[in-house]
Amino acid sequence: MNTAARLSLFGAGVVVAFGAAFGLAGAIVPAELVAGWQEKSEMNEHDTHDEPSATAAPKNDDHGGHTGHTAAHTTPQGLSLSENGYVLSPVQAPTAVGADGELSFQILDDSGEPVVDYTTEHDKDLHLIVVRSDGTGFRHVHPQLDAGTGVWSLPWRWQDAGTYRVFADFAPQGADGITLTRTVHVGGEWAPVASSASKTDEVDGFTVTLDGELTAGAPSELTLSIARDGQPVTDLEPYLGAFGHLVALREGDLAYLHVHPEGPSPESAAHDDSGDHEHSAVTAHGGPDIGFVAEAPTPGRYLLYLDFQVDGTVHTATFVVDAASAQHGAHDDSH
Ligand SMILES: [Cu+2]
């Protein structure tokens, strides 16, 4: 299979990964492509998604028999420290709040050897997400690999005590992309912060508003709009090849989806053969709206984290959205 086909199928796999998933369609992704993902997603799910709860469906034994979409997962990612023979080693990190140190780990293969060869995805060989179990303290960072030892590391300091989930999102060279997770404890007193539904966030002087509803088991359009001082922000910069990155965690088990736009980067969108040359106009700057197609696998609460870049600085806006069950449908959002 050629690289383009593999990447394309990986995209489909990611959409399937969350039981149809939070697919991210950045402003630069043509609508036809998004529609294509959804079609693939639906096709791929045929045999496992007759049940309302995709996550409860047993995994198909003949998974490998499906032509092509080897990256397809029928359960959400980010719930295990091992998958496909790969293991996330114990995570070394400071054990106390405020201590300067280093966070480090290895990815081990099925023979216990550290993995040193990766496939770059969205400009990075590995994406690291760290979040406290109550959904606070979210960080999306990119550690450095020591190619000699396979140790990934970066400087680290905990701001608050608590129990954290560490997610490593990567693709070993020649293998499917996976997300592995570990729990890390940081000693000290802490009080969990209860989430409350919120579709607006104020961050670093920006006001970010989420418009749209989540319906379990059905594609839902979400639009994130960014303003500063009451003015729409139209100078979003490409960050990791897109104008916005969305991480979605399901409250309750922190099932994880870290979705960058699949398909065209801001650069390649300009040469997209859809004939829609409008897209070339947004290759340098994007905004104020970033569009997403999201699909929650189950009803319930989801924690959404949007990374966007302005003036060379990455900002993260946080939202808490309750997905309605399909029979209730999307109710009116009149404001
Ligand atoms: Cu990343």
Side-chain angles (χ1 to χ4, degrees), residues 47-222:
D47 45 8
T48 53
H49 279 254
D50 294 328
E51 312 293 326
S53 171
T55 53
K59 201 162 181 169
N60 251 10
D61 281 331
D62 68 347
H63 209 243
H66 293 244
T67 47
H69 59 281
T70 51
H73 300 277
T74 53
T75 53
Q77 288 269 287
L79 293 172
S80 176
L81 63 84
S82 65
E83 184 168 341
N84 297 349
Y86 294 96
V87 172
L88 173 58
S89 78
V91 175
Q92 308 296 324
T95 53
V97 172
D100 284 314
E102 197 177 70
L103 185 150
S104 65
F105 58 89
Q106 291 170 307
I107 305 299
L108 307 172
D109 65 18
D110 54 6
S111 58
E113 294 297 315
V115 176
V116 296
D117 294 314
Y118 295 82
T119 302
T120 301
E121 293 180 309
H122 320 297
D123 294 351
K124 300 292 178 182
D125 281 359
L126 184 142
H127 302 265
L128 189 75
I129 304 292
V130 180
V131 66
R132 201 167 69 172
S133 56
D134 61 357
T136 64
F138 176 92
R139 283 187 252 183
H140 171 183
V141 290
H142 303 100
Q144 295 289 316
L145 174 67
D146 181 326
T149 61
V151 173
W152 289 94
S153 66
L154 76 168
W156 199 260
R157 175 200 281 201
W158 298 108
Q159 312 284 355
D160 295 293
T163 296
Y164 288 80
R165 283 276 287 280
V166 172
F167 300 92
D169 179 351
F170 61 94
Q173 197 171 82
D176 296 333
I178 51 177
T179 302
L180 304 180
T181 187
R182 282 260 184 186
T183 299
V184 175
H185 303 289
V186 183
E189 274 189 36
W190 68 289
V193 177
S195 67
S196 60
S198 170
K199 288 184 164 184
T200 302
D201 194 21
E202 304 276 347
V203 54
D204 308 329
F206 296 91
T207 301
V208 187
T209 306
L210 185 154
D211 193 34
E213 301 287 341
L214 275 182
T215 302
S220 309
E221 287 183 17
L222 301 179

Side-chain angles (χ1 to χ4, degrees), residues 195-276:
S195 67
S196 60
S198 170
K199 288 184 164 184
T200 302
D201 194 21
E202 304 276 347
V203 54
D204 308 329
F206 296 91
T207 301
V208 187
T209 306
L210 185 154
D211 193 34
E213 301 287 341
L214 275 182
T215 302
S220 309
E221 287 183 17
L222 301 179
T223 303
L224 292 154
S225 305
I226 302 171
R228 179 167 47 186
D229 301 327
Q231 300 299 312
V233 171
T234 55
D235 56 350
L236 295 181
E237 297 163 349
Y239 170 58
L240 304 173
F243 292 120
H245 296 284
L246 188 69
V247 170
L249 302 175
R250 180 169 59 185
E251 191 173 84
D253 63 1
L254 297 185
Y256 164 92
L257 197 70
H258 174 211
V259 188
H260 296 284
E262 298 294 333
S265 64
E267 288 76 23
S268 67
H271 305 109
D272 186 82
D273 59 9
S274 68
D276 185 355

